Amino acid sequence: MTSEPMESTVQAASDFDWSFLLGTPLRITIIIVGAIVVNLIVRLFIRRFTAAVAKGTVGSEKAEAAGLAKFSATAMEAHRTGIDQQTIKERRAQRARTVGRMLSSVTTILISVIAALMVLDALDFNIAPILASAGIAGVAIAFGAQELVRDYLSGFFIVIEDQYGIGDTVDLGEAVGEVEDVGLRRTQVRDLTGTLWHVRNGEILRVGNLSQGWARAVLEIPIDYSTSMDDYREMTKDVTASLRKDPEISRAMLEDPEIAGVQSLSGSHRVIRTMIKTKPNLQWMVERAFRAELINEMAKRGAQVGMIQETVLRTLPDSADDSAEAGRAETAAAGSAQPKRSAAVTSEADSAPSRLPSDQEIRSTVHEDSPSEGTSDDTGQQ
């Protein structure tokens, strides 16, 4: 390269306005890099928060008071409820992942939108119409999608408050069954018949969790009056001893059965309420096992389950009814032997209202009576 072209290139470079690069491009680069850095920092905090929630490590005064110093919240909850720590950890990890994904998505969207508006402003675009249009569109979308927004907000609080999780048996009103999936917009519940219910979280007004922490098997046993309360307590002890021999039933029972007392009375039996504290979702298994063993124990002792006594009364025709029927038959036969006129009069008297006699009947009656009247007159003249 000769000296002249090199000098021209150097001259052109010196004449270039390098301040342009220090203006808009630099600001745009700073905005983009800043948005990326802020997003990474926020995501880092979110991951730490969700990890702490999933781990559940605390060093609170409650742990020290319970003699569980340096124990995790998982160990404390397992000690209180009797649930294994692995199940508690899985529930917390699932809840933390769901909340973390939602917070990360919302954070990324907000930071990206703000960065895009700042870039447009740096390029000297008038973003006032964009903001106005976005505001109007946001109001319209919010008005049309308010049900969707409510579903997501309800789902967020359901997850963060741990109202229920996968595997729990819940009562959501119309849907009662086992939870198969929990999302921010809807919950899937499988009922006893196998029907899969898709319930929007915004429509859930109340939640009855039948398997959170611990459960209780409540049995209403009808006992005959011939069996005393002391006998029933002895039978309950023997039934409990038999159930404890089964490892599965024994692990499901957190406490021995508690006899609450007589729940109701009737003319034939009394109902005794018995309660058993169990692990979650195992109360129905314990109830079935207790009833089956109680029936066997009652059979050994000769005790009986209270039954409702019913008496059926049937009425049969007696001799008085037979004589009345015979009397009515004789009256009907006697009536048929009377003259036709009497029968006609009787039938007319029974009918209501009675009809007036026709002209022909009047003439026939007069003709029948006239010979007797003539005979009497002739006799009187003679």
Side-chain angles (χ1 to χ4, degrees):
M1 179 179 291
T2 61
S3 60
E4 292 181 358
M6 184 178 296
E7 290 177 359
S8 62
T9 303
V10 173
Q11 184 66 28
S14 62
D15 295 338
F16 182 76
D17 188 8
W18 293 96
S19 63
F20 172 76
L21 295 177
L22 300 177
T24 303
L26 182 60
R27 283 188 294 171
I28 293 174
T29 303
I30 293 175
I31 291 172
I32 295 175
V33 173
I36 294 174
V37 172
V38 170
N39 190 19
L40 292 177
I41 293 174
V42 173
R43 282 176 172 268
L44 178 61
F45 279 107
I46 292 174
R47 284 196 297 269
R48 288 186 177 181
F49 170 73
T50 54
V53 172
K55 188 177 180 181
T57 303
V58 293
S60 60
E61 297 178 357
K62 294 182 179 179
E64 296 178 359
L68 300 172
K70 298 182 181 180
F71 272 38
S72 65
T74 304
M76 292 177 59
E77 187 174 351
H79 177 77
R80 185 180 67 256
T81 61
I83 306 174
D84 59 296
Q85 298 187 22
Q86 186 64 28
T87 303
I88 298 175
K89 289 180 180 179
E90 291 177 357
R91 285 177 60 92
R92 288 188 172 178
Q94 177 193 3
R95 186 169 72 254
R97 287 194 300 268
T98 304
V99 175
R101 286 196 300 267
M102 180 181 179
L103 293 177
S104 299
S105 300
V106 172
T107 301
T108 302
I109 293 173
L110 290 177
I111 293 175
S112 300
V113 170
I114 294 173
L117 293 176
M118 293 177 66
V119 169
L120 292 176
D121 184 58
L123 294 174
D124 294 333
F125 280 96
N126 188 10
I127 63 174
I130 298 177
L131 294 176
S133 301
I136 297 174
V139 172
I141 293 174
F143 182 77
Q146 55 182 344
E147 297 293 337
L148 185 63
V149 174
R150 186 174 68 175
D151 292 342
Y152 276 99
L153 288 177
S154 300
F156 174 78
F157 285 107
I158 287 174
V159 173
I160 198 66
E161 294 174 359
D162 193 22
Q163 296 182 13
Y164 54 82
I166 296 177
D168 288 352
T169 302
V170 297
D171 182 357
L172 303 181
E174 292 291 337
V176 180
E178 182 180 352
V179 178
E180 290 196 351
D181 186 34
V182 181
L184 295 178
R185 192 184 66 84
R186 56 100 182 97
T187 299
Q188 293 182 354
V189 178
R190 180 85 63 177
D191 65 6
L192 187 61
T193 62
T195 304
L196 183 63
W197 293 81
H198 299 265
V199 185
R200 288 171 41 200
N201 293 331
E203 295 181 347
I204 299 176
L205 302 179
R206 61 176 179 84
V207 177
N209 197 326
L210 307 180
S211 56
Q212 194 172 40
W214 54 272
R216 177 173 284 149
V218 180
L219 301 103
E220 308 285 347
I221 308 297
I223 299 297
D224 190 82
Y225 284 114
S226 60
T227 303
S228 64
M229 290 294 297
D230 294 336
D231 295 338
Y232 180 76
R233 291 189 181 92
E234 292 295 330
M235 287 189 294
T236 303
K237 291 181 181 179
D238 294 341
V239 169
T240 303
S242 300
L243 294 178
R244 290 295 185 184
K245 296 178 181 179
D246 189 342
E248 185 177 4
I249 302 297
S250 181
R251 286 193 299 267
M253 296 172 56
L254 299 179
E255 296 178 357
D256 288 341
E258 175 186 356
I259 301 177
V262 178
Q263 185 66 19
S264 62
L265 298 173
S266 66
S268 58
H269 63 273
R270 59 178 176 269
V271 177
I272 302 176
R273 171 171 291 181
T274 305
M275 300 180 297
I276 308 173
K277 188 176 181 180
T278 66
K279 291 184 178 181
N281 279 346
L282 298 179
Q283 61 268 35
W284 300 287
M285 179 184 69
V286 175
E287 286 181 7
R288 291 190 291 267
F290 186 88
R291 290 191 184 98
E293 197 63 33
L294 180 62
I295 289 296
N296 296 333
E297 188 65 27
M298 293 178 68
K300 294 178 183 179
R301 295 173 176 263
Q304 296 181 355
V305 176
M307 296 180 293
I308 299 177
Q309 299 178 358
E310 295 182 354
T311 303
V312 180
L313 300 178
R314 296 181 179 179
T315 58
L316 298 176
D318 52 6
S319 58
D321 296 337
D322 295 339
S323 61
E325 289 291 338
R328 284 194 293 269
E330 292 177 359
T331 304
S336 62
Q338 292 181 354
K340 295 181 179 180
R341 182 180 177 185
S342 301
V345 173
T346 304
S347 62
E348 290 177 2
D350 293 339
S351 63
S354 60
R355 66 180 183 85
L356 296 175
S358 61
D359 295 339
Q360 186 177 1
E361 292 176 351
I362 294 174
R363 294 192 192 96
S364 62
T365 303
V366 172
H367 289 314
E368 289 177 359
D369 294 341
S370 59
S372 59
E373 291 175 1
T375 303
S376 61
D377 291 340
D378 294 340
T379 306
Q381 291 176 359
Q382 290 177 0

